[in-house]
Amino acid sequence: QHFGDSARDQLKRVYASVLPTGVEVHLDLCSSFDSHLPAEYTPAAVVGHGMNKDELDSNSRLSSSFVLDLNETPTLPLDDGSVDAVTCAMSVDYLIRPLEVFRDLNRVMKPGGLLVLSFSDRCFPFKVIDVWLDATEGQRCAIVANYLHFGGFSDIRAGSVGSTADEPLCVVTGRKLD
C-alpha cells in the first residue's frame, strides 16, 4: 500500500476539515480503489482519474472515471472551470511533467477552487522522480508547493500533519486564483 492505516485515517480527518461544502464536481486525481474521502463529504459528483480501470471501477465513491497517463498526456479531458475541488493522495511524486499537469488543473478548476495534495515517505523508488528519493520531508513539501506556485495557484500551504511514529503525512493545499 502507498500508506498505512494511521496515515489514511489522518488524511480523512484532513479532508473533513478542509474540503468545502456545496461542491458540485470533485476530481480525485491519480485515484484508485479508495478516494479516502470522509463519508460526510458529499459532492454532487466525484470524478476519478487513474491508471487502472479495474481499481477505478471498484471505487464506490466515484460517480464517473477515466484512465489517462498524465506522464504521457498531461491534459485532462475536462472542461475549463468545471471542477470545484481536487484531491491527489500519494501520487504527486510520480508525475514527471508536474508543471504541465498543474497548469492544466488550474485550467479545469473554478475560481477559488481548492487543491489538496498529500504524500508520505512511502513510495515505489523505481517510479518516483529522482529528486524525491534524496529530499527531506520539508524539501518534498517545498517541491510540491512550487508545483502549485508555478501552476498558477495561490494561498499555498504546506507541511506535515498528524505524522505518526512510523509514517509522516504531508499535505499541500492551494486555491485557484479568482
Side-chain angles (χ1 to χ4, degrees):
Q1 293 184 18
H2 284 286
F3 62 130
D5 290 339
S6 59
R8 185 176 290 109
D9 291 342
Q10 179 61 25
L11 181 58
K12 285 185 180 185
R13 288 191 293 275
V14 168
Y15 284 168
S17 71
V18 301
L19 289 172
T21 59
V23 169
E24 292 177 27
V25 178
H26 178 107
L27 173 62
D28 186 14
L29 193 73
C30 303
S31 187
S32 66
F33 62 90
D34 187 357
S35 294
H36 313 293
L37 299 172
E40 61 274 10
Y41 178 68
T42 56
V46 178
V47 178
H49 152 267
M51 296 278 292
N52 184 312
K53 182 177 179 348
D54 292 336
E55 287 184 359
L56 293 171
D57 288 346
S58 70
N59 186 332
S60 63
R61 288 303 303 264
L62 303 180
S63 47
S64 65
S65 65
F66 62 95
V67 174
L68 177 69
D69 184 346
L70 291 173
N71 290 329
E72 290 182 12
T73 307
T75 303
L76 298 162
L78 300 170
D79 293 336
D80 294 2
S82 62
V83 176
D84 299 286
V86 176
T87 52
C88 179
M90 309 300 151
S91 295
V92 68
D93 45 335
Y94 301 109
L95 296 174
I96 61 173
R97 297 166 71 179
L99 295 181
E100 291 172 77
V101 170
F102 285 98
R103 287 180 183 134
D104 201 57
L105 282 170
N106 194 296
R107 175 188 66 79
V108 304
M109 292 181 73
K110 293 178 182 177
L114 179 67
L115 175 60
V116 183
L117 307 164
S118 60
F119 52 90
S120 72
D121 61 356
R122 291 189 187 180
C123 66
F124 297 107
F126 56 92
K127 289 185 177 183
V128 298
I129 58 171
D130 290 339
V131 69
W132 200 262
L133 295 176
D134 294 326
T136 65
E137 182 179 299
Q139 290 168 330
R140 290 174 182 157
C141 285
I143 290 166
V144 176
N146 274 295
Y147 291 166
L148 272 66
H149 172 76
F150 290 106
F153 291 89
S154 65
D155 194 23
I156 300 165
R157 298 166 194 254
S160 180
V161 295
S163 297
T164 63
D166 61 331
E167 182 178 19
L169 177 65
C170 299
V171 174
V172 179
T173 63
R175 291 199 175 273
K176 179 176 177 168
L177 294 171
D178 292 330

